[in-house]
Amino acid sequence: MKSGLLLVPLMTILPLLATPALAQTTAPQVTPAGAGNLAGQGPKIDLDKAKAFKPPRTELGHPNLEGIWQPRASGAAFSVLPHEGGFFLGQGSETGIIEGGVLPYQPWAAEQVKYRRDHVELDPTGHCHYEGIPHALYFTFQIFQTPNQIAFVHENMHAWRIVYMSGEHPKDYLAWMGDSRGHWEGNTLVVDVANNNDKSVFDMAGHFHSDHLRVVERYTLQDENTLIWEATLTDPKVFTGP
Amino acid sequence: MKMRFPLIRGAKDYAIMESGCFEDERDQAHLKDAALPANHYKEEHEKEKK
């Protein structure tokens, strides 16, 4: 199973690896994003600096987050936890993107993680499905702001989502990208992502969630060219706690 | 459980480029005879075999 372990993710990633070359032949100004950024560590997060920063604003007075954003997600597409380097990611990560470096899975769920790690053919990204939130954010995306909606257009998997700045989550509805409702807390865009299905996964290392996953994201500009993404995830069906 | 990471702004003359594959495309193109989970798109798979 070892060789199969890498087969499907590799097939998924190969088109990404081709992006820079394609960009050179068809559109020189297209960003060579994708896999080249997956393992990047990026600038250090400085919440005090973010608090003091006065962001550019839209006509409505909200922070202007529009633009193309390239994540420095410490190889989270491979594993959200600390991991060794290798494969297409190059360097490993001593930190991962999880605070404390632990995913508090319930015992049955921890067994499921092991099973999924040995059966990577179950990885939905290997079947070209949407990655969901947070997984889609490990790849480059563009933000467009209007007064009532904020749109995220992702390079990977042709994914997009609309963050509605009003209304409530629908009932009896599940989706790969969930349902996103946003509001502003000072200079921070807070997005509550609910209605997630249980098919998307956190990474290629078997880390999964249920349809009880709730993601509360916080987007804050640290300076003109650095955006901090933070999220609190809860899923009482698979985790022992917050 | 908390996650966090930074993102950097793309240059002003950048444009995003869609990449990846379309839903189900990978199954049809590459997983005809290998690694398909049981009953995963079984009907379509059987049609292709015929």
Side-chain angles (χ1 to χ4, degrees):
Chain A
M1 203 60 224
K2 192 71 176 179
S3 60
L5 180 74
L6 300 180
L7 178 62
V8 174
L10 180 60
M11 291 191 304
T12 304
I13 293 299
L14 281 177
L16 300 176
L17 294 174
T19 300
L22 186 59
Q24 289 169 6
T25 56
T26 59
Q29 294 177 335
V30 168
T31 175
N37 292 332
L38 291 178
Q41 299 292 329
K44 188 177 181 182
I45 290 177
D46 186 337
L47 294 176
D48 289 334
K49 186 178 178 184
K51 192 175 286 184
F53 178 62
K54 294 181 179 177
R57 296 187 179 275
T58 65
E59 291 178 355
L60 290 179
H62 299 305
N64 188 342
L65 306 182
E66 285 200 335
I68 292 174
W69 294 103
Q70 298 173 300
R72 293 295 182 263
S74 301
F78 183 67
S79 177
V80 294
L81 296 179
H83 56 271
E84 294 180 357
F87 192 33
F88 60 90
L89 289 170
Q91 64 194 48
S93 172
E94 294 181 359
T95 60
I97 61 169
I98 303 286
E99 188 177 85
V102 175
L103 282 164
Y105 278 110
Q106 296 174 22
W108 73 268
E111 289 300 314
Q112 179 69 211
V113 170
K114 291 178 189 171
Y115 179 83
R116 286 170 178 255
R117 193 172 294 159
D118 290 338
H119 293 80
V120 76
E121 74 275 10
L122 299 175
D123 183 341
T125 58
H127 299 276
C128 309
H129 293 296
Y130 283 170
E131 289 153 330
I133 304 298
H135 196 149
L137 300 168
Y138 311 154
F139 304 91
T140 297
F141 58 86
Q142 186 165 3
I143 294 177
F144 298 91
Q145 282 179 242
T146 71
N148 299 316
Q149 294 97 22
I150 297 177
F152 284 64
V153 178
H154 299 268
E155 275 199 330
N156 206 24
M157 295 303 179
H158 314 277
W160 57 272
R161 73 170 158 150
I162 294 174
V163 177
Y164 299 95
M165 300 304 285
S166 61
E168 298 178 352
H169 297 298
K171 293 179 180 174
D172 302 320
Y173 169 77
L174 296 175
W176 286 93
M177 300 295 281
D179 178 78
S180 295
R181 304 283 160 171
H183 66 275
W184 293 95
E185 291 183 4
N187 289 335
T188 298
L189 171 66
V190 180
V191 182
D192 181 9
V193 189
N195 302 87
N196 298 291
N197 71 19
D198 62 358
K199 297 175 183 176
S200 64
V201 292
F202 293 136
D203 56 28
M204 292 192 293
H207 299 123
F208 74 107
H209 59 80
S210 78
D211 54 8
H212 281 46
L213 173 69
R214 193 88 174 232
V215 184
V216 178
E217 307 172 279
R218 297 178 66 84
Y219 294 85
T220 310
L221 283 168
Q222 176 168 303
D223 56 47
E224 182 78 30
N225 297 314
T226 307
L227 180 64
I228 302 172
W229 177 83
E230 304 171 279
T232 301
L233 293 83
T234 53
D235 189 340
K237 217 167 172 179
V238 300
F239 295 128
T240 57
Chain B
M1 179 177 59
K2 294 185 185 301
M3 290 182 172
R4 68 167 59 89
F5 56 80
L7 302 99
I8 61 171
R9 184 185 294 279
K12 287 184 178 176
D13 59 355
Y14 278 0
I16 60 170
M17 182 181 219
E18 288 191 337
S19 59
C21 48
F22 287 102
E23 193 170 58
D24 301 348
E25 180 183 70
R26 192 69 69 203
D27 294 338
Q28 294 165 18
H30 299 284
L31 295 179
K32 288 177 180 172
D33 299 310
L36 275 174
N39 300 320
H40 191 82
Y41 305 117
K42 186 178 179 184
E43 191 176 335
E44 288 79 3
H45 186 52
E46 291 301 318
K47 281 180 189 172
E48 282 189 12
K49 272 190 164 179
K50 290 176 185 175

